[in-house]
Amino acid sequence: MATEEELFASVDALLQDEPQLPDPAERARLREAAGVTQARLAAALKSTPQTVKNWENGRSEPRPPRLQAYLRVLEGWAAKYPKPTPASASVPETFSGPVDQEPVQVRPESAPSIMPVPEPEPAPATRPSAPSRRPAAERATSAPAAAPYPHGPLAVLDGDGLAYGVNGIVLECPAATVPQLVEWTLAKSGLGAPRLNRFGKEADPLVVLTAAAAVKLGLPERLEGHEQRRSLRLEDDHPVIKQVAKAKWKLTQRGFGPWARIYRPAQAGQRQCVQLAVLSWDALDPRSWPGVSDMEPAEIARILGVYAQRVLMPRGSTAVSGLELMTALRPPTRAVQDKGTGQWVSGYNPGSLGTEPMDPAPPEAPQEHPVAQGWTGGFLDEEAYQWVRDPQLLSDEECLLPYAIGLDLNTAFLAAAARLVVGLSGPDHFHAPRFNKKIPGSWLVDLSHIELDPRLPSPFTPSGRRPEGPAWYQTHTLAYAEELGATVTPIEAFLRRETGAYLDPWHDRLKTAYVDTLADLGVTADLDDQQFLAAMEQHKQVDPGMVAVLAAIKATIKGGVGKLRERPQGRHYRDGERWPALERPTWRPDIRAAIISKARVNMHRKMANVAKATGQYPLGVLSDCVVYPSPGPSPLDFLPYSTSGKPMPGSFRLGTTPGLAKLEGMQEMAWAVDLMEKGLNPARHIKGGDAVMDEGE
């Protein structure tokens, strides 16, 4: 038992320590400056991300012994990343925007807001025909100086001059031309969104145009006659293009298409840019935004507003938004103090990919890439599973089971991105290096000698077939080979010396968005497995708008990963030529390979654990969907549980978070066997009918 003297000494020490903690905002600044996520800091402090979030929001304070540990890391960061002085406000930081835009200026935190304070608006009108379930339209008043974006991130403009914003706001927009709309948006709309990282930039306001609004502004209702959807744009001699040029506004290199960016070059750190999205030009792809284009303007504003708040302001397709989110959360530059002059200048932001594009190693590149020309050493083939078991390996007992059940892993690629260490520098070539599972890169190794159960797919190839000789593998694949007991002896490798968990903030934000949106649909983390299955069966009937947000979040994840290895477009492309995507620092096929490798390994590990625990083997796998024979029509009939009723560790578990599973579909076992005998994959069609799995969320 501690004495009173010992307790008083302990409390006195605590009282002396507490005032030394910086204020909550400074705690967040220091962590972000170090490029560390809340989840990573929480792991280091043996705490939780929510607890760290509470410390940075001022909701709670750390207690010993975490208090001293937290104070120590903050003091270390404070020494490396001192708080910018007021003088820094006069030195803008350069920010590398999208490839098709001019570089713009990002102001330090203390600089004035981008958006001019909106002038008083006339009282907005409500739309009588709006569905009654929608919140009543609020009256838009003058914007207070402390609120640069009082009317939310975006608005949907109809043909009557009404701009529908979030939270039921409706503004009167008098614009009759596109230049007038741009001027109104920047000067009076009160639209925009704050930066996601203190070194980033505010989101440019978005105005979504209905078909009627487009026609009223002089735009065609439809754009047709192009071979590819991505090439849709107005002709250079269209009257609207001439109006924009006459008003001294500019378009990005993509021109005026379904997603248009209209801007003037930044002056004194002030951005002047507006996004326009034209619904009738298929700006919202129905595969990513199911049914949204056909909804009422107020409902479209609500859906896009939720996405903007949980993910980011839409920036084009969900794939583009997925990639832009990476940069928004890990800006390439930050303000640094020049030791010689004492002035604040633009410098590299630790943990980011920087501002310069980086060529991959030859085996990591697509075969049409310039660095791959003349390369004969083979290529990396880290792709998602497409495997079906040989029907000759089906047992009589399996064939007599009545059902085939498909399980789908929630956002498997996002789960793989968690705490994923990737290369931040260029590849270096090594011969006969010793394998190290902590070093990201590509390794040439022979795994063909490894004997595995043929009732499971090989974890080393996307086809699930056994390797036939030396091949290139990503680090995670080889680390799993070691986990299975194999000796890994690299022949050569392309490795990266500078590394970091670049995708951690991206993972954390999208995970929260996914879980929160599922919760809006009645699927919450506190449900037991039976309740979870019942909620998932009904969730698409709860709120079509939130169903669309959920679909968009999943498409953002899948598309963002795909953009890391965007291929050349257009029939005129010739192998060996560079294409525009290569000029992005975020064109990183090695990072994509790392994500997919880890996702495939995670899937195999779960299947192997199920086989070890229960003797059950999959019928087929397609990316993140796996099909098992089952004695009953529910996953609960075949998933392994302990005697206490808890899911078997390391196996497939039902739940809401990324990496956990949900029911994908159920069919008769005879149906699955028939497909397998035809060489077809039951995982591709388990939803029923001719439904095809969307390969890899």
Side-chain angles (χ1 to χ4, degrees):
M1 178 71 70
T3 66
E4 181 179 88
E5 184 178 350
E6 290 172 337
L7 290 173
F8 277 16
S10 177
V11 169
D12 288 343
L14 176 61
L15 291 173
Q16 290 172 3
D17 281 343
E18 278 186 322
Q20 299 177 34
L21 274 176
D23 62 72
E26 177 65 3
R27 301 169 200 175
R29 184 195 74 81
L30 290 170
R31 177 184 55 76
E32 291 174 355
V36 175
T37 65
Q38 291 175 334
R40 186 176 170 192
L41 177 58
L45 295 174
K46 303 296 188 290
S47 186
T48 66
Q50 185 58 54
T51 299
V52 173
K53 185 180 294 185
N54 290 343
W55 295 345
E56 294 182 357
N57 288 336
R59 295 194 185 101
S60 66
E61 294 293 321
R63 299 178 181 178
R66 289 190 179 89
L67 171 63
Q68 289 79 6
Y70 188 39
L71 181 61
R72 182 174 182 178
V73 73
L74 291 177
E75 288 175 341
W77 286 338
K80 293 177 66 177
Y81 311 109
K83 195 170 185 177
T85 62
S88 66
S90 62
V91 182
E93 174 195 355
T94 354
F95 175 88
S96 177
V99 171
D100 62 351
Q101 283 186 246
E102 289 191 354
V104 295
Q105 300 292 313
V106 170
R107 297 164 288 99
E109 192 72 31
S110 58
S113 168
I114 290 171
M115 179 80 68
V117 177
E119 297 175 8
E121 283 287 338
T126 58
R127 190 178 184 85
S129 60
S132 58
R133 70 181 181 83
R134 214 168 272 129
E138 301 175 359
R139 299 182 72 84
T141 58
S142 59
Y149 310 118
H151 299 148
L154 52 87
V156 181
L157 183 64
D158 70 6
D160 298 325
L162 299 180
Y164 291 78
V166 298
N167 300 323
I169 289 175
V170 184
L171 307 172
E172 287 186 352
C173 175
T177 66
V178 167
Q180 289 175 5
L181 175 61
V182 173
E183 297 278 2
W184 174 83
T185 303
L186 290 174
K188 297 185 178 182
S189 71
L191 299 175
R195 65 190 74 184
L196 299 183
N197 181 289
R198 67 181 306 268
F199 299 125
K201 59 185 177 65
E202 286 87 350
D204 299 319
L206 168 64
V207 179
V208 180
L209 306 180
T210 63
V215 171
K216 180 181 177 181
L217 294 171
L219 299 168
E221 184 174 348
R222 293 273 175 190
L223 276 184
E224 299 174 349
H226 291 271
E227 295 178 2
Q228 295 183 339
R229 179 181 176 274
R230 62 180 290 118
S231 66
L232 287 173
R233 64 172 63 186
L234 285 182
E235 299 294 340
D236 292 342
D237 60 353
H238 192 278
V240 170
I241 302 293
K242 294 179 179 178
Q243 288 176 357
V244 170
K246 185 177 180 180
K248 301 190 184 315
W249 290 99
K250 296 186 176 183
L251 291 161
T252 62
Q253 293 178 8
R254 292 193 181 277
F256 203 125
W259 289 86
R261 300 183 70 79
I262 303 176
Y263 72 99
R264 285 178 180 149
Q267 296 180 353
Q270 298 269 338
R271 286 177 60 86
Q272 299 182 83
C273 184
V274 173
Q275 283 195 111
L276 300 180
V278 187
L279 291 176
S280 58
W281 296 1
D282 297 327
L284 298 181
D285 189 328
R287 295 170 296 181
S288 304
W289 300 96
V292 175
S293 292
D294 298 326
M295 296 179 181
E296 291 292 320
E299 181 69 351
I300 296 172
R302 179 179 79 99
I303 293 166
L304 295 180
V306 170
Y307 181 88
Q309 188 269 328
R310 293 182 179 175
V311 182
L312 85 165
M313 182 84 81
R315 295 291 303 271
S317 69
T318 47
V320 169
S321 295
L323 199 66
E324 290 287 341
L325 181 62
M326 296 178 193
T327 302
L329 294 168
R330 290 273 201 194
T333 60
R334 65 183 178 92
V336 296
Q337 195 168 27
D338 186 296
K339 293 182 179 179
T341 66
Q343 297 297 310
W344 290 89
V345 297
S346 175
Y348 171 68
N349 186 23
S352 76
L353 298 182
T355 59
E356 296 300 320
M358 186 182 300
D359 279 342
E364 297 169 343
Q367 295 186 31
E368 60 266 32
H369 194 285
V371 303
Q373 304 310 299
W375 172 259
T376 58
F379 292 90
L380 198 66
D381 188 24
E382 297 286 14
E383 299 294 341
Y385 268 133
Q386 295 193 51
W387 172 84
V388 59
R389 199 203 312 178
D390 183 345
Q392 298 299 319
L393 298 177
L394 289 170
S395 68
D396 292 341
E397 292 78 9
E398 287 177 313
C399 292
L400 291 174
L401 290 172
Y403 298 103
I405 303 288
L407 291 178
D408 177 71
L409 297 188
N410 300 326
T411 59
F413 290 168
L414 183 64
R419 297 178 297 282
L420 177 68
V421 176
V422 301
L424 302 178
S425 57
D428 292 321
H429 195 188
F430 297 87
H431 291 279
R434 177 179 297 179
F435 177 66
N436 186 332
K437 66 180 181 181
K438 295 183 179 180
I439 301 177
S442 302
W443 314 72
L444 182 63
V445 180
D446 190 348
L447 300 179
S448 61
H449 61 283
I450 301 177
E451 294 284 350
L452 295 172
D453 193 315
R455 291 172 293 179
L456 287 174
S458 167
F460 310 129
T461 64
S463 67
R465 293 192 292 269
R466 182 173 177 168
E468 296 180 351
W472 289 94
Y473 300 99
Q474 202 276 333
T475 299
H476 282 280
T477 302
L478 297 181
Y480 188 57
E482 281 195 335
E483 185 180 321
L484 295 175
T487 299
V488 174
T489 308
I491 302 167
E492 61 178 305
F494 287 91
L495 309 177
R496 289 166 170 82
R497 299 178 188 274
E498 296 178 27
T499 65
Y502 171 71
L503 291 170
D504 266 7
W506 188 79
H507 164 270
D508 294 350
R509 187 167 178 85
L510 285 168
K511 175 185 176 181
T512 301
Y514 180 81
V515 171
D516 288 352
T517 306
L518 265 182
D520 288 340
L521 295 168
V523 188
T524 55
D526 59 346
L527 302 177
D528 63 31
D529 286 356
Q530 190 70 55
Q531 293 170 331
F532 169 76
L533 290 172
M536 285 299 296
E537 189 174 351
Q538 300 296 324
H539 80 285
K540 290 189 177 180
Q541 283 73 52
V542 173
D543 183 340
M546 289 301 100
V547 170
V549 173
L550 189 68
I553 291 170
K554 292 192 286 187
T556 300
I557 297 164
K558 177 189 173 187
V561 172
K563 278 280 186 182
L564 292 169
R565 191 178 183 256
E566 184 176 357
R567 307 293 284 271
Q569 305 288 334
R571 61 183 180 180
H572 300 296
Y573 175 78
R574 296 292 180 268
D575 285 358
E577 297 175 351
R578 296 188 70 82
W579 59 95
L582 302 189
E583 308 312 315
R584 295 194 316 249
T586 49
W587 192 86
R588 290 292 303 273
D590 56 300
I591 295 180
R592 175 185 177 274
I595 294 170
I596 296 177
S597 165
K598 187 178 174 184
R600 196 182 66 244
V601 163
N602 287 347
M603 175 68 87
H604 190 277
R605 186 182 289 109
K606 292 178 189 297
M607 292 187 291
N609 286 337
V610 169
K612 185 177 180 180
T614 69
Q616 298 176 97
Y617 292 87
L619 304 177
V621 186
L622 182 69
S623 189
D624 45 18
C625 177
V626 57
V627 177
Y628 275 94
S630 173
S634 166
L636 302 179
D637 296 317
F638 76 89
L639 285 176
Y641 288 83
S642 66
T643 53
S644 63
K646 295 183 178 180
M648 194 71 69
S651 67
F652 294 100
R653 295 175 52 195
L654 301 176
T656 59
T657 56
L660 299 188
K662 58 181 180 290
L663 175 64
E664 179 66 17
M666 181 272 292
Q667 299 290 335
E668 293 182 355
M669 182 63 181
W671 167 91
V673 173
D674 182 57
L675 284 181
M676 294 169 70
E677 289 177 343
K678 295 176 182 178
L680 301 176
N681 192 342
R684 185 177 292 276
H685 305 280
I686 192 67
K687 283 185 177 180
D690 294 327
V692 176
M693 278 288 298
D694 187 8
E695 298 174 21
E697 291 176 357

